[in-house]
Amino acid sequence: MNSSPVTKYLNQILDTVRDDDSGEVADYIEELAQADPDKLGIALTTVSGHTYTAGDCTTEFSIQSIAKPFVYALALRERGWDVVHRAVSIEPSGERYNSLSLDSENRPMNPMINAGAITVNQLINGDDSSVPERAEAIRQMLSDLAGRELRLNTELAYSELAGADRNLSLAYMLRSYGIIQDEARAAVLSYIMQCSVMVTTRDLALMASTLANGGIQPETGKRILDPEVCRLTMAVMSSCGMYDGAGHWIATVGIPAKSGVAGGLIGTLPGQLGIATFSPRLDRSGNSVRGIRAFQELSRQMGLHLMAPHRVGANAVRAIETVDDTTILSLQDHINFSATEQILYQISQHDFSASSLMLDVTMVMSIDKISRGLLQNTLLRMQNAGLAVSLYDPDNRLRGMMLDDQPIRQVDTEEHAEILKDFGSQ
Ligand code: GLN
């Protein structure tokens, strides 16, 4: 799908943020300090299982804190809400990811900060699990989400353990309140193991899209989580996933998200898609600078903000039919990015044997700017391939769309009725 207009658009997003070299690569873990700060990648997977990538999408890096929502989901799957909630609350802390704090009931504030994640990690694979068994159960679950076998980088885990004073102090605090039972060092190693699973940007987009898809991995079709677990996990991501930057994030981007100190960032848009970016330089909250900017651009331009007033066109293609020598493509509903992706995909799968295409947008309620651009781009390519493209847009929904600086030939009501009459007689 590399020549797709969506891929082109993702490349444009990367170009918009590429020159921003602000922020610093995390250096408190030796191996992370070695990362190439210029790496930049983006991947997007729709719930229908189409993945689009741009930039450095096959570079492997450690998942770090992006494992937290998935391990939280695994704990909910294995233990259920009551047990998990008794151990960890779901309130935003507004504090840094490694802060030493507990709520009034002596629980970690949420599973996205380290205190909460160390606690949740202890719930995995039964009370008697050894550290390697727990690490393997988590690696296996993350692999199911990615749709391929992921590697656990034990060397990285031990190098982080060597300088893990802060996480050790968290573990001692948790033990002193009886929240965790393992020895502090074992608990931290176990948690750091989950941070050391190696992923690519593409893997992360697939993992995120599984949450967005209610727990079914959209490429393999495997059910990994229940919809309720996904809903809860995304809710906690939206309020706590960006640590002390969470409020700003939900206001400007409006997509449940989770960042990791290796530079990964995921976003999940329920019922629509999963997005991932990779860029190692971080801001003061420990979130990827260019990743945040890419998400801001995507959300604004593609109308992805969860609080956006328009609905999503779940069935944007009303019909695609060919009669005589004309293919009629009728669209409907509110057309945002997800709807446009469906349209482009259906066009790419359609066998265009006719010599003309009429786009009928009378049933379209709204269309955002990027979707209009992607559609325009696709129509232009079809016209260049020899198809005579025309448009039925009596209410000017597409605002006088041009192809190659020429207005598209507009079909008037009479001609439109004439074509439809032919349809009826088939
Ligand atoms: N392993 C890292 C830590 O515990 C993960 C932190 C993160 O990605 N925000 O410090």
Side-chain angles (χ1 to χ4, degrees):
M1 273 199 204
N2 267 341
S3 58
S4 144
V6 178
T7 310
K8 242 168 106 181
Y9 174 64
L10 292 181
N11 273 303
Q12 276 170 28
I13 293 278
L14 293 188
D15 288 342
T16 317
V17 304
R18 196 178 305 276
D19 291 342
D20 187 344
D21 61 359
S22 53
E24 303 291 337
V25 171
D27 58 3
Y28 72 100
I29 302 171
E30 209 185 297
E31 293 209 30
L32 295 187
Q34 314 296 321
D36 176 352
D38 292 327
K39 289 276 185 215
L40 180 64
I42 188 164
L44 181 156
T45 301
T46 64
V47 291
S48 43
H50 310 142
T51 297
Y52 304 88
T53 61
D56 301 310
C57 272
T58 50
T59 306
E60 284 201 335
F61 53 94
S62 49
I63 188 166
Q64 297 298 339
S65 283
I66 302 171
K68 288 171 179 166
F70 299 112
V71 177
Y72 182 62
L74 179 59
L76 288 168
R77 183 177 94 182
E78 290 186 357
R79 299 291 191 107
W81 163 255
D82 289 343
V83 172
V84 175
H85 191 57
R86 215 173 298 134
V88 184
S89 185
I90 53 169
E91 293 301 334
S93 67
E95 290 170 354
R96 286 186 59 77
Y97 65 89
N98 55 9
S99 76
L100 279 148
S101 61
L102 296 174
D103 72 2
S104 54
E105 290 172 45
N106 291 335
R107 284 176 305 182
M109 299 289 282
N110 67 68
M112 301 296 142
I113 53 173
N114 287 12
I118 292 171
T119 306
V120 170
N121 175 278
Q122 294 280 290
L123 298 175
I124 304 298
N125 205 42
D127 288 334
D128 302 327
S129 181
S130 68
V131 171
E133 283 166 354
R134 210 182 281 135
E136 173 53 21
I138 292 171
R139 187 203 63 79
Q140 191 53 61
M141 190 256 189
L142 296 176
S143 300
D144 285 347
L145 288 161
R148 72 176 185 107
E149 285 304 308
L150 301 177
R151 180 173 69 90
L152 174 60
N153 186 344
T154 356
E155 256 171 52
L156 170 66
Y158 278 98
S159 94
E160 178 170 349
L161 187 65
D165 290 349
R166 172 56 81 125
N167 281 328
L168 284 164
S169 63
L170 285 171
Y172 281 115
M173 173 184 75
L174 295 167
R175 251 178 80 82
S176 76
Y177 285 100
I179 299 167
I180 62 169
Q181 313 305 328
D182 270 20
E183 288 297 332
R185 196 180 144 84
V188 171
L189 178 62
S190 185
Y191 157 73
I192 288 178
M193 291 275 207
Q194 80 178 38
C195 300
S196 304
V197 171
M198 303 301 285
V199 290
T200 65
T201 316
R202 187 179 196 282
D203 293 330
L204 288 180
L206 277 153
M207 297 165 81
S209 69
T210 306
L211 285 181
N213 195 31
I216 296 179
Q217 212 274 13
E219 234 176 54
T220 62
K222 185 170 174 181
R223 170 163 297 284
I224 299 166
L225 296 164
D226 284 339
E228 300 75 47
V229 166
C230 293
R231 194 188 62 206
L232 247 165
T233 305
M234 289 189 285
V236 177
M237 284 166 73
S238 70
S239 55
C240 315
M242 300 297 276
Y243 313 119
D244 45 340
H248 196 257
W249 173 267
I250 206 67
T252 57
V253 180
I255 299 173
K258 187 71 205 79
S259 63
V261 287
L265 180 57
I266 61 166
T268 57
L269 205 55
Q272 296 187 55
L273 36 92
I275 308 171
T277 56
F278 172 53
S279 170
R281 289 191 203 90
L282 310 177
D283 66 12
R284 284 160 46 94
S285 304
N287 301 320
S288 165
V289 173
R290 293 189 297 186
I292 289 185
R293 281 199 50 200
F295 266 87
Q296 282 170 342
E297 290 295 326
L298 281 172
S299 167
R300 191 174 53 81
Q301 298 181 11
M302 292 176 158
L304 300 182
H305 199 296
L306 268 188
M307 314 299 170
H310 52 255
R311 294 180 301 118
V312 180
N315 292 300
V317 176
R318 186 177 165 82
I320 178 161
E321 296 166 292
T322 305
V323 170
D324 295 336
D325 210 19
T326 305
T327 298
I328 300 192
L329 172 61
S330 323
L331 305 182
Q332 63 184 3
D333 225 330
H334 295 271
I335 311 226
N336 73 351
F337 172 74
S338 294
T340 307
E341 192 277 336
Q342 280 181 36
I343 298 167
L344 303 191
Y345 187 76
Q346 289 205 31
I347 290 178
S348 76
Q349 297 302 299
H350 191 77
D351 179 15
F352 282 92
S353 48
S355 65
S356 60
L357 168 74
M358 184 183 82
L359 183 66
D360 181 343
V361 293
T362 24
M363 302 299 279
V364 169
M365 313 280 200
S366 68
I367 180 162
D368 64 72
K369 200 168 140 219
I370 286 298
S371 299
R372 221 168 58 228
L374 288 170
L375 206 55
Q376 177 164 327
N377 195 305
T378 304
L379 292 179
L380 182 60
R381 289 195 331 171
M382 295 171 88
Q383 182 173 273
N384 290 342
L387 215 62
V389 177
S390 63
L391 179 66
Y392 184 56
D393 186 12
D395 300 321
N396 200 19
R397 297 264 191 258
L398 298 189
R399 296 188 199 94
M401 190 187 269
M402 318 270 272
L403 293 188
D404 252 352
D405 294 335
Q406 297 290 320
I408 307 183
R409 186 176 83 79
Q410 288 264 357
V411 170
D412 62 19
T413 313
E414 223 169 285
E415 191 182 339
H416 183 253
E418 192 63 29
I419 297 171
L420 290 193
K421 193 174 90 229
D422 283 351
F423 265 143
S425 65
Q426 288 291 304

